[in-house]
Amino acid sequence: MRKKADKEWQSLLSGIRIKGGSPEERVNFYTALYHSSVVPNRINDVNGEYRRHDMGIGRTGKGKNRYSTLSLWDTFRAWHPMMTLLDTAFVADIVRSALDIYEITGELPVWPLASGETGTMIGYHSVSVIADAWMKGIRGFDGGKALEAMVRSAEKNTKGADYYIREGYIPANFRKESVSCLLEFAYDDWCIMKLAQQLNRPQEEIDLYRERSKNYRFVFDKESKLMRGKNEDGTFQSPFSPYKWGDAFTEGNSWHYTWSVFHDVQGLIDLMGGKESFVSMLDSVFVVPPIYDDSYYGQCIHEIKEMQIMNMGNYAHGNQPIQHMIYLYNYAGQPWKAQYWLREVMDKLYTPYPDGYCGDEDNGQTSAWYIFSALGFYPVCPGSGEYVMGAPLFKKAILTLENGKQVILNAPDNTNDNRYICSLKMNGKEYNHNWLKHEELMNGAVLDFNMSHTPNTQRGVNDEDFPYSLTNENK
């Protein structure tokens, strides 16, 4: 049994092979790959039977499985997209598991554990997992039924959805975590829109969710250039401190959540007054001191303490809301700043020791961030079919995809000093975009990076090089 288990783990971990880097970096990488493989949990027995959410007994089809322990608020960001590269059958099983729960409860899971629903955290991010899977060509489930489940879940969610649907925002004087809920509802609505487009639904249905996905605009404060709680009468919460944790935000503050417009970063850039102002605000996250206001909680919660220990301004990598933020430099034509800060995070906030993680692992999400970032790209907006560029950590990495094809990343000049992409070739052709298409990777790809110790400020600076944004969809 031990030998069989060891063989299975070796097979799983060898799905990504790396060369170069320090011994510590290699340990970090494979520790992350191990962490990302521990959950979710398969809940069916060998005969396919499992306990359903109504306490009845279900049975999977041959070769299929049911899963639980889905920390969706965390894992929709990078863990689930990573599985779309490494194990598409696994992804289909997870989607079917979510739809099975919908059949019983009338709502997609939020944070299922064993045969029950904890209702933990915010949003209803099963819709992200489903939309991302469908956009990437993963099938094995009924798209129409999935869209029905997504729409029903959007209407039923109780964490301020009634106000959100009626008013476009959630009054901060009525609901806690109002801004965080609104931002994540808006992204989830965009996911519904994307699947509706794919299924050729009526235009009025598509437009409904397109417009709702723009609701993030209602809580953007032009004065501070940050997201801010808004009261029922339309006034912003006052006094306002971007350092205040909780209240209108979930386990974070305005510095962390302002960037949660995954699907329309260009729209956020426009609100901030353009690319220059946007980049200045991104820079500010690292420039401001690691101070905080914990008055809402009445104590210094561990996420706050972890941010202080990191000492990277108000960048709080130990919790999930801000983990995609560094990649947003790519949307404003300064990808070299993303390349700099990503290496800083990988170098300083991940170590091969008992205290080597900077905060919450949360079912593999923080590890999935490291795996993607070490490879050189990241899924900022699941459902878009794109990955946003960073820069590779190792001299060589080989991903063996489930279809047997490989993605090979070569960066022979990669060192601690040579963290910037000077030039890039994809399948032998010059490549200047700040994004990679999922479908191109799944066809097999070779990416040759020419790394440098100085940034190339002429690469990735044109509008056509920027990743997907809703605002640019019909341009």
Side-chain angles (χ1 to χ4, degrees):
M1 181 67 73
R2 180 178 178 181
K3 289 182 178 179
K4 182 180 178 181
D6 183 69
K7 184 179 179 179
E8 289 193 14
W9 274 111
Q10 289 296 332
S11 175
L12 187 149
L13 296 175
S14 65
I16 306 178
R17 295 185 178 275
I18 56 174
K19 294 182 180 180
S22 67
E24 291 79 9
E25 288 167 339
R26 293 193 293 273
V27 170
N28 287 343
F29 186 86
Y30 284 109
T31 297
L33 193 53
Y34 166 75
H35 280 189
S36 68
S37 306
V38 175
V39 285
N41 303 127
R42 185 185 302 175
I43 62 171
N44 56 282
D45 211 334
V46 291
N47 65 354
E49 291 185 346
Y50 63 97
R51 180 78 65 182
R52 305 182 80 193
H53 277 223
D54 60 0
M55 295 298 106
I57 302 297
R59 185 186 291 269
T60 65
K62 185 177 180 180
K64 296 180 174 64
N65 295 293
R66 285 293 181 272
Y67 289 93
S68 191
T69 320
L70 297 170
S71 181
L72 291 160
W73 181 78
D74 309 292
T75 54
F76 85 88
R77 304 165 195 270
W79 185 90
H80 286 282
M82 184 171 72
M83 292 302 120
T84 66
L85 285 167
L86 300 178
D87 195 340
T88 57
F90 188 17
V91 175
D93 274 337
I94 290 173
V95 173
R96 285 191 293 266
S97 299
L99 293 177
D100 181 67
I101 293 171
Y102 166 71
E103 287 289 341
I104 297 165
T105 66
E107 186 174 2
L108 287 167
V110 174
W111 210 122
L113 179 64
S115 300
E117 172 60 62
T118 69
T120 304
M121 305 311 293
I122 61 175
Y124 46 99
H125 298 310
S126 287
V127 303
S128 172
V129 176
I130 295 169
D132 194 46
W134 192 271
M135 293 294 292
K136 292 174 177 175
I138 298 173
R139 297 296 183 263
F141 60 94
D142 184 331
K145 177 62 70 174
L147 182 60
E148 173 195 304
M150 293 161 75
V151 170
R152 286 279 299 277
S153 297
E155 306 303 322
K156 282 190 66 174
N157 194 287
T158 59
K159 296 179 180 178
D162 47 354
Y163 292 103
Y164 171 84
I165 293 170
R166 186 174 65 248
E167 307 294 339
Y169 71 98
I170 304 168
N173 55 321
F174 284 175
R175 295 278 185 176
K176 66 178 183 178
E177 303 176 337
S178 59
V179 173
S180 297
C181 286
L182 181 151
L183 295 173
E184 297 192 18
F185 287 168
Y187 165 69
D188 288 337
D189 279 339
W190 174 85
C191 291
I192 296 174
M193 181 205 80
K194 294 300 286 185
L195 185 56
Q197 287 176 328
Q198 289 284 302
L199 297 178
N200 296 315
R201 298 294 298 166
Q203 191 61 44
E204 58 267 26
E205 182 178 338
I206 294 169
D207 289 343
L208 170 65
Y209 290 98
R210 182 195 303 275
E211 289 307 306
R212 278 180 25 182
S213 76
K214 299 175 184 177
N215 284 349
Y216 65 86
R217 298 173 297 177
F218 288 116
V219 291
F220 181 80
D221 172 25
K222 292 182 179 179
E223 182 178 341
S224 65
K225 297 183 181 179
L226 294 167
M227 299 297 179
R228 183 174 175 183
K230 181 176 280 189
N231 298 315
E232 184 189 23
D233 62 5
T235 61
F236 282 112
Q237 274 187 312
S238 185
F240 170 65
S241 169
Y243 303 102
K244 185 178 182 180
W245 285 62
D247 198 353
F249 301 96
T250 304
E251 296 181 358
N253 63 31
S254 186
W255 281 118
H256 308 145
Y257 265 97
T258 291
W259 318 104
S260 292
V261 189
F262 315 102
H263 58 294
D264 198 14
V265 178
Q266 182 60 53
L268 182 59
I269 291 172
D270 293 343
L271 288 175
M272 287 190 178
K275 296 181 182 68
E276 184 176 337
S277 177
F278 181 78
V279 168
S280 177
M281 291 299 291
L282 287 171
D283 292 343
S284 296
V285 173
F286 299 106
V287 171
V288 299
I291 59 176
Y292 62 90
D293 175 354
D294 65 0
S295 59
Y296 179 80
Y297 296 119
Q299 60 179 326
C300 180
I301 62 175
H302 71 86
E303 290 90 350
I304 296 175
K305 183 58 66 177
E306 289 152 3
M307 181 192 75
Q308 283 194 303
I309 293 170
M310 287 180 234
N311 197 28
M312 294 178 71
N314 246 255
Y315 182 74
H317 191 81
N319 206 20
Q320 282 68 40
I322 204 171
Q323 287 181 351
H324 68 292
M325 182 217 96
I326 294 174
Y327 286 92
L328 302 190
Y329 284 109
N330 285 280
Y331 295 75
Q334 296 195 28
W336 54 91
K337 287 192 174 182
Q339 295 158 24
Y340 173 82
W341 284 111
L342 290 168
R343 186 67 67 94
E344 289 292 292
V345 172
M346 285 187 279
D347 285 351
K348 295 178 179 179
L349 305 186
Y350 292 82
T351 66
Y353 305 111
D355 62 349
Y357 270 47
C358 55
D360 296 338
E361 168 62 285
D362 283 329
N363 289 27
Q365 165 57 29
T366 300
S367 286
W369 183 96
Y370 186 88
I371 293 166
F372 267 123
S373 296
L375 295 174
F377 54 95
Y378 186 83
V380 168
C381 182
S384 68
E386 290 183 359
Y387 303 96
V388 180
M389 295 292 295
L393 179 63
F394 299 102
K395 293 181 181 295
K396 189 181 186 75
I398 302 174
L399 286 76
T400 300
L401 308 175
E402 189 180 49
N403 61 13
K405 297 181 180 181
Q406 292 184 326
V407 177
I408 302 172
L409 304 107
N410 298 309
D413 298 323
N414 212 344
T415 65
N416 286 338
D417 292 329
N418 291 356
R419 65 176 63 183
Y420 298 105
I421 298 175
C422 181
S423 62
L424 170 62
K425 289 185 177 181
M426 184 173 183
N427 298 329
K429 298 180 180 180
E430 290 291 337
Y431 193 87
N432 289 316
H433 299 318
N434 298 336
W435 44 265
L436 298 169
K437 286 286 189 183
H438 177 83
E439 60 185 338
E440 293 178 347
L441 297 182
M442 292 301 289
N443 289 330
V446 177
L447 287 88
D448 294 303
F449 294 86
N450 177 16
M451 305 298 290
S452 173
H453 69 283
T454 56
N456 179 355
T457 58
Q458 302 304 309
R459 185 187 172 279
V461 299
N462 298 315
D463 288 351
E464 62 266 24
D465 298 324
F466 303 160
Y468 170 90
S469 284
L470 176 65
T471 292
N472 298 331
E473 191 172 73
N474 296 319
K475 287 185 178 180

